[in-house]
Amino acid sequence: MAFRGDYFVLRSAAFETRIKRRTCLDIFYSGNDALQLQIRPPEYLFLRMALFLKQKKFINWVITYRAQNNVDLKWMLQHGLDITREKNGYDFIKNIAHHHLRSTLPLVTQECLLLAGSKDRYVPQKRLEENTAFLTSRSLNVAHNKK
């Protein structure tokens, strides 16, 4: 997914101190964020339950069916499968669930410029506030389109 680059920007900031400033366009925090924005909240909760119960065939059927009528979900799934080299939606979702900044973000000490849009299709607006809260003790600049 295109926004994964900023996941790696912030992740590298946590472990590579030679670079003093970071710029992130879209603030990737969790791989599941993008999926959550593509489906309705009850469906997302149902999907999480099915993942917990390891319902691989069912999840693959649902994701494939939903992607037929949702251009953004279809693109995300196709692009995500290409990047992760997974063969199906279930394995892709399991893969991206491991990509988050929960434990890494507090280690960032460099100056960061966070850029975000309020209507991003893959990164929820709430992540800007959460990431800003983690980074407030450091030099932080935030550019946010609130339209």
Side-chain angles (χ1 to χ4, degrees):
M1 291 173 283
F3 55 83
R4 282 184 63 181
D6 289 312
Y7 162 77
F8 292 113
V9 166
L10 288 171
R11 186 166 170 73
S12 69
F15 301 105
E16 181 52 70
T17 57
R18 292 180 293 176
I19 299 172
K20 301 300 178 199
R21 292 181 177 91
R22 306 293 171 152
T23 301
C24 296
L25 172 61
D26 286 342
I27 302 96
F28 179 93
Y29 181 84
S30 168
N32 288 330
D33 283 347
L35 179 62
Q36 187 174 4
L37 288 174
Q38 302 306 315
I39 58 179
R40 295 186 301 264
E43 292 172 321
Y44 183 72
L45 291 173
F46 186 73
L47 176 65
R48 287 183 52 106
M49 187 184 325
L51 283 166
F52 178 76
L53 297 172
K54 297 180 171 62
Q55 299 297 309
K56 185 173 184 172
K57 288 181 183 179
F58 177 72
I59 290 172
N60 285 334
W61 177 82
V62 169
I63 293 293
T64 302
Y65 176 77
R66 288 295 311 258
Q68 290 173 357
N69 300 314
N70 183 325
V71 174
D72 289 326
L73 180 59
K74 182 177 182 177
W75 180 88
M76 186 185 88
L77 185 59
Q78 289 174 339
H79 194 62
L81 290 172
D82 288 342
I83 289 172
T84 62
R85 296 186 179 169
E86 297 294 352
K87 303 295 182 210
N88 57 68
Y90 176 86
D91 292 334
F92 168 64
I93 294 167
K94 294 294 276 186
N95 182 314
I96 64 172
H98 297 289
H99 297 263
H100 57 80
L101 292 172
R102 192 174 308 119
S103 60
T104 308
L105 202 57
L107 303 176
V108 176
T109 58
Q110 296 90 340
E111 292 182 25
C112 294
L113 172 60
L114 306 180
L115 304 169
S118 62
K119 295 182 181 176
D120 193 290
R121 292 181 178 197
Y122 302 107
V123 181
Q125 184 177 354
K126 69 177 182 173
R127 291 299 185 199
L128 177 64
E129 288 85 17
E130 291 172 1
N131 290 342
T132 301
F134 273 112
L135 297 169
T136 53
S137 62
R138 299 144 188 94
S139 295
L140 174 70
N141 294 299
V142 177
H144 184 230
N145 176 2
K146 294 184 179 183
K147 290 183 179 180

